[in-house]
Every structure is written in structure tokens, then in C-alpha cells.
Amino acid sequence: MTALTWEEKEQLITRNLQEVLGQDNMRTILKERDLKVYWGTATTGKPHIAYFVPMSKIADFLKAGCEVTILFADLHAYLDNMKAPWSLLQERTKYYEAVIKAMLSSLGVPLNKLKFVCGTDYQLSKEYTLDVYKLSSVVTQHDAKKAGAEVVKQVEHPLLSGILYPGLQALDEEYLKVDAQFGGVDQRKIFTFAEKYMPQLGYAKRIHLMNPMIPGLAGGKMSSSEEDSKIDLLDSAAKVKSKIKKAFCEPGNIEDNGLLKFVKHVIYPMFKAGDGFEIKRKEEFGGDKKFEKYEDLEAMFAAQELHPGDLKAAVEIYINRLLDPIRKAFDDDFHKALTERAYPTGATAKKGAAAQATGENTPDKVELKVGQILEATKHPDADTLCILTVDIGNDTKKSIVSNLMAYYGLEDLKGRSVVTLTNMKSSKIRGVESEGLVLCAFNQEKYEPLVVPEGAKVGERLIVEGFDNTQAEVPQLNPKKKVWDKIQAELKTNADGEALWKEFSMLTLNGDRITSTLKGCNIK
């Protein structure tokens, strides 16, 4: 194989990127030696087909002779609200390595200049920790928050970990001893943050290579949490067909079109000289067509001379060609067991996750019962508050102060079945004793009591899946330890309106789900 010139290497490294910072420095290095590049990913969600977009560029880097380091940010993954225990993250790291090797092999590139590193290999060292402290002494809170604005979830009261995140990522460049960092264009503010602050610690300014953001199959960002927006790397051909069929592909729309972007950034870079993207169609619809240049394919689709159905059929063929080697590699006992350990399914997943969620701030510490509102009267000293008399069974009634009067008429509340928290210590609210809580989903416009399934009886205990406490007497919550506050912070409704604590469903003893018409909201 003929050795590449530095210009050819530069062309491979930069093709299809949205932006390059430090390209002059890259040229200087390439004239002397091969570039050292790193790409990092947190080992959380299961890698899906969108990972082929960065993998396609990593394939370009390897073809250009680059030394490529893939960083598994296991420490970052653990600190992400500590959603996964170390044991699970270790298995996921193994899964990521296996699947990335299979993906790159599917793209037909050698792996001899590729290495994998875990963040915990060096991020817990004395030297790295001291640099974190040094960085915190020169970085302003404003700059740290601004740097993470595109990648760290923005909330009113951000966690300190989100503010530290950009600095940790910047330090990775030095500790991995690379020339360049590769990532999506959503990382740009972190990259410019690194360029500003690394020299202040005496470290070199690195090159930054940025991929464009690719729409998902449903339109918008492709996400592992949105089933219809992504194709799993181990999905069967039948599942691929089903998901491609439902993909958003508006006639003439070339901007918000995940299929076209995938073709541009993954399929075309695979082609050798003379190859092209092939469309198979009947003669009456224009016959077969081959596009050696992506621009010609895009132009024909924009002009609505190529039907979305024909594009989908072609993309399906190419995606299955990419996935076939991965399916084959994972179709053995070792990889099947690894997949199940890393991403447990069904009851195994729920049982394992529940077992990990031990401690005093878990939902088995609360007593939830089906209640029925018998009376609703206005609070004597607050216009937006009302006093609810709630029957919780066994001839027991609770007086509960609530803000539901701001959203419902008093008569509308009477007779309503509700989810009642019954083991709170009573407290005075504007001078009136409140002995519990009616759980409500809420958004900016409305509060709504959670919906109790038909057939649930007054006084019936409710549970959170995996945390059955119905066989024991539940002690009163300790307000000083703010146990309820910590449990409540994880209560929400999902996209289907189901009430959850973390990923665990709130259920009746018959297994019926507690719900709300307010979807994707918090509960309190």
C-alpha cells in the first residue's frame, strides 16, 4: 500500500467535519509525524447506530495513520447521579470495547494503532486530582457553566459535578498525551474552554476536531432513550426494516433528515474508488440509479425526484451490511452473556437495579395508600390553599393541606381517589395541621393528583416496583434527614404518563400502574 502524503492524511482527518480548531498546528505535526487523537464516551446507554458517525471518523483517523485513544469515561458515568453501580459500569466498559472493535472491523479498518483507556486509570491519581484543584483556582464559575451549556443538563440549581465537567474533560487531553481531541460540535464550548485554560496550567493548547450533529430517525437528536429514534447495533433485519419504515423522511427535506445524514457521514466514507450509493427501483419509477457523489443524491432528493420510500429501502440494505458482522460477532455464548451482564433485561434488570438502590432514601421507606377525598374546604388564611379530609381506610382520616384549590373547584375534589403519603410527621401550614400529602404530577400550568386505577380500594397499599414494603409496618419519616425530599426528587412521570421512582413503576398490589395525564413531569 502506497504511503500517504501529509496532505492526504489531512484530507482524511478533516473530511466531513463541521469545524477544526488549530488546523495550522495539525499541519505542522503531520509534516513531522502522525497525529495522536482521542475521543471520549461515557459508558452509560447502550451504543446504537448513531455511534457509526464518530466511528466513521475514527476509521478515517486510523486510515490516516493516527494513533487513536478511545476514553471510556467510567468515572463521569458513575457521577451522573450515580445511576449505575461500579460493577455494572465495569461490564459496560467491556461491552463498549467489544462493540466498538466490531463496528470498526465492519468499517474495514486496521486496529493496530487503536487503544482503549478508562478514566479511572488515571483520574483518581494524586497528580490529576491536584490539577483539578489548580484548575478550580483559575476557572470562574461563569466560564465553567458556559462551557458545559450544550452538554450538561441545565437546571435552576445545577450540581457541582456539572460545573466541574468541562475542566475534567480539558485535563484529559494532557493526561492522555494527545495532540487533538475529537467530538461533536456540541462540545465546542468545552473545547474553547480547554484552549483558554490549559495554557494557564502550563499545558499545550490542543487541536479540536468537531463532527456535525446528526438527526435521529424520528427527527431531532438521535438518543438511546428514544426507542424510535435509533437502531440498536444488535437489532434484527426485521427490526431495522420496521424502524426505517417509521423514520422521519419528508419529501425534499434535506436538513432534518437522519437517513441522508447517515448516508453522508457513514456510508459514503466506506466507499472505494468507483463505488456509489445504489437505489433499486422499478423502471416505471425511474429504474436503478447509482450516485458516486453524495451531493448528487442530496440534490435529487431535494428536487423530489427521489421518493422517500426508495431512499429508505436503500439505506436499509446498507445498514444491514454494516450490522451483519456485528450481529455475527455477538452471536456466541461469551458475547451474549456480556450483553446481558452489561444491560440486564426484564425482571433481571429490575431486580438487580432495585438491589443496588439500598439505603434510607428508597421508596420502601414511604407508606403510600389509596385515599378518597371526603371533604375540601378553603384554608382560612390562604387563598390558594385548601384543607382536604382524606379517608385512607380502616376508619382513619387524614387532614391534608394542599394547593389544589388553585387548579380545581372544591366540589370537583370531593369523592376523588388519590395517592396519599401517610407516614409523614404532621406539620402546620399557615397555622393548620397537615397530616400527609396527596401526590400530584405538575408542570408550569397545572397540578394534577395521580390517577388511581379503577378497582383499587380505599386504604390499599401501593408500592414501587422492586420495593414491596406491604408486609411491614413503615415507621414515620424523619424530617431532619429529609428522607422524603430525597425520594421525591426521583419521582416523575414518563412519556406515557406512568408514575415512576427512577425507572421503577408505582403500582397497586395487583400490578396496575399509577398514572397521570401530565407526561414527562415531576411528582410531589
Side-chain angles (χ1 to χ4, degrees):
M1 184 176 175
T2 307
L4 299 177
T5 65
W6 74 263
E7 291 95 342
E8 290 170 329
K9 291 178 180 180
E10 180 190 23
Q11 193 277 328
L12 266 176
I13 291 167
T14 59
R15 71 170 173 175
N16 285 335
L17 292 178
Q18 182 160 327
E19 188 175 3
V20 177
L21 300 177
Q23 192 157 357
D24 288 342
N25 185 25
M26 180 175 66
R27 288 169 180 154
T28 301
I29 294 170
L30 286 174
K31 290 174 184 177
E32 299 176 358
R33 59 172 173 80
D34 290 326
L35 201 68
K36 298 177 182 178
V37 184
Y38 107 82
W39 175 73
T41 183
T43 48
T44 49
K46 199 174 184 181
H48 48 80
I49 200 166
Y51 276 64
F52 266 113
V53 177
M55 288 305 110
S56 181
K57 279 311 305 173
I58 288 170
D60 281 344
F61 300 154
L62 292 169
K63 290 174 188 174
C66 298
E67 295 178 25
V68 178
T69 298
I70 291 181
L71 172 66
F72 294 134
D74 53 348
L75 184 58
H76 282 110
Y78 180 70
L79 292 175
D80 183 14
N81 285 331
M82 290 175 277
K83 290 177 183 173
W86 279 118
S87 57
L88 193 61
L89 287 173
Q90 288 168 353
E91 297 297 339
R92 288 183 177 177
T93 298
K94 295 174 188 174
Y95 180 89
Y96 266 66
E97 180 171 343
V99 86
I100 286 172
K101 285 179 177 177
M103 291 174 79
L104 290 171
S105 296
S106 177
L107 291 170
V109 292
L111 307 182
N112 57 306
K113 298 188 79 172
L114 175 71
K115 68 176 180 179
F116 299 93
V117 175
C118 286
T120 49
D121 291 345
Y122 63 90
Q123 288 169 346
L124 299 176
S125 69
K126 178 181 177 181
E127 294 76 15
Y128 186 91
T129 303
L130 285 173
D131 272 343
V132 172
Y133 285 125
K134 287 179 187 175
L135 196 58
S136 69
S137 71
V138 295
V139 173
T140 66
Q141 184 188 55
H142 172 270
D143 280 4
K145 289 174 70 174
K146 179 182 176 183
E150 299 295 325
V151 293
V152 177
K153 186 177 180 181
Q154 298 302 295
V155 294
E156 185 178 355
H157 302 291
L159 296 175
L160 181 59
S161 59
I163 296 174
L164 289 173
Y165 191 106
L168 302 179
Q169 186 171 334
L171 284 171
D172 290 339
E173 297 178 343
E174 174 63 24
Y175 280 79
L176 293 172
K177 303 300 179 186
V178 295
D179 306 307
Q181 183 179 175
F182 165 60
V185 74
D186 60 333
Q187 306 264 326
R188 191 183 196 282
K189 290 179 180 177
I190 292 180
F191 292 163
T192 56
F193 172 95
E195 292 186 5
K196 176 180 178 179
Y197 282 106
M198 285 300 94
Q200 294 187 35
L201 268 62
Y203 297 142
K205 183 193 294 187
R206 263 64 181 197
I207 301 154
H208 294 104
L209 311 168
M210 284 167 272
N211 244 1
M213 302 305 292
I214 304 302
L217 299 181
K221 183 179 178 182
M222 197 177 291
S223 167
S224 60
S225 63
E226 294 182 28
E227 186 62 26
D228 284 342
S229 81
K230 53 90 178 179
I231 293 170
D232 188 89
L233 296 170
L234 301 179
D235 273 349
S236 66
K239 278 190 177 180
V240 171
K241 178 183 285 292
S242 173
K243 290 180 179 179
I244 294 270
K245 187 176 181 180
K246 292 187 286 186
F248 178 77
C249 190
E250 186 178 51
N253 184 344
I254 61 174
E255 295 303 322
D256 189 16
N257 191 320
L259 295 178
L260 276 177
K261 301 301 183 186
F262 189 85
V263 170
K264 177 180 180 180
H265 291 278
V266 177
I267 296 175
Y268 267 89
M270 293 168 47
F271 290 157
K272 298 178 175 62
D275 288 346
F277 187 81
E278 297 181 356
I279 298 282
K280 301 290 185 182
R281 54 187 181 179
K282 295 178 180 179
E283 285 299 326
E284 60 262 39
F285 299 121
D288 295 350
K289 183 80 174 174
K290 179 178 177 181
F291 300 89
E292 292 193 12
K293 294 181 179 179
Y294 169 77
E295 291 75 16
D296 295 337
L297 171 67
E298 184 181 89
M300 190 169 177
F301 188 84
Q304 299 190 34
E305 295 171 2
L306 176 62
H307 191 274
D310 293 326
L311 176 65
K312 288 182 177 184
V315 173
E316 179 190 335
I317 292 170
Y318 284 100
I319 285 179
N320 279 315
R321 285 181 192 171
L322 283 171
L323 297 187
D324 277 340
I326 302 172
R327 295 179 188 128
K328 185 176 180 181
F330 275 72
D331 190 24
D332 59 30
D333 291 342
F334 173 80
H335 286 94
K336 286 177 181 177
L338 173 60
T339 304
E340 181 60 28
R341 291 196 308 272
Y343 297 94
T345 54
T348 304
K350 295 291 186 184
K351 184 178 178 181
Q356 292 292 340
T358 56
E360 63 181 12
N361 303 323
T362 49
D364 53 321
K365 305 303 185 293
V366 297
E367 184 179 70
L368 300 174
K369 289 185 177 182
V370 175
Q372 186 178 45
I373 300 174
L374 302 178
E375 292 291 337
T377 58
K378 183 181 178 301
H379 192 293
D381 296 318
D383 291 337
T384 59
L385 299 179
C386 58
I387 303 168
L388 306 176
T389 302
V390 183
D391 181 0
I392 61 167
N394 294 326
D395 297 322
T396 304
K397 298 177 178 62
K398 293 276 188 182
S399 178
I400 298 174
V401 177
S402 169
N403 69 343
L404 284 171
M405 185 174 166
Y407 304 93
Y408 296 88
L410 294 176
E411 289 299 318
D412 296 329
L413 293 171
K414 290 181 183 179
R416 188 170 189 136
S417 294
V418 291
V419 176
T420 313
L421 174 63
T422 60
N423 65 324
M424 289 184 73
K425 185 177 180 180
S426 62
S427 61
K428 286 189 176 182
I429 300 177
R430 301 291 290 271
V432 174
E433 199 80 16
S434 185
E435 301 175 305
L437 192 67
V438 171
L439 296 194
C440 298
F442 66 96
N443 57 27
Q444 291 181 336
E445 288 80 34
K446 189 176 182 182
Y447 267 68
E448 177 187 274
L450 294 180
V451 178
V452 177
E454 288 186 21
K457 297 178 181 178
V458 172
E460 179 180 335
R461 291 273 287 272
L462 303 172
I463 63 169
V464 170
E465 187 178 16
F467 299 89
D468 187 348
N469 60 1
T470 56
Q471 302 305 312
E473 184 176 339
V474 185
Q476 189 178 76
L477 293 169
N478 187 338
K480 291 184 179 179
K481 293 188 176 181
K482 297 188 179 298
V483 176
W484 167 245
D485 293 345
K486 294 169 184 174
I487 295 170
Q488 183 270 323
E490 301 286 355
L491 288 171
K492 61 192 175 187
T493 60
N494 64 13
D496 296 320
E498 297 171 352
L500 308 176
W501 181 79
K502 294 190 174 179
E503 70 267 39
F504 306 103
S505 298
M506 192 181 294
L507 307 170
T508 67
L509 295 182
N510 289 330
D512 296 323
R513 297 174 187 271
I514 307 301
T515 60
S516 172
T517 64
L518 303 182
K519 301 175 181 181
C521 296
N522 292 326
I523 295 171
K524 71 177 181 179

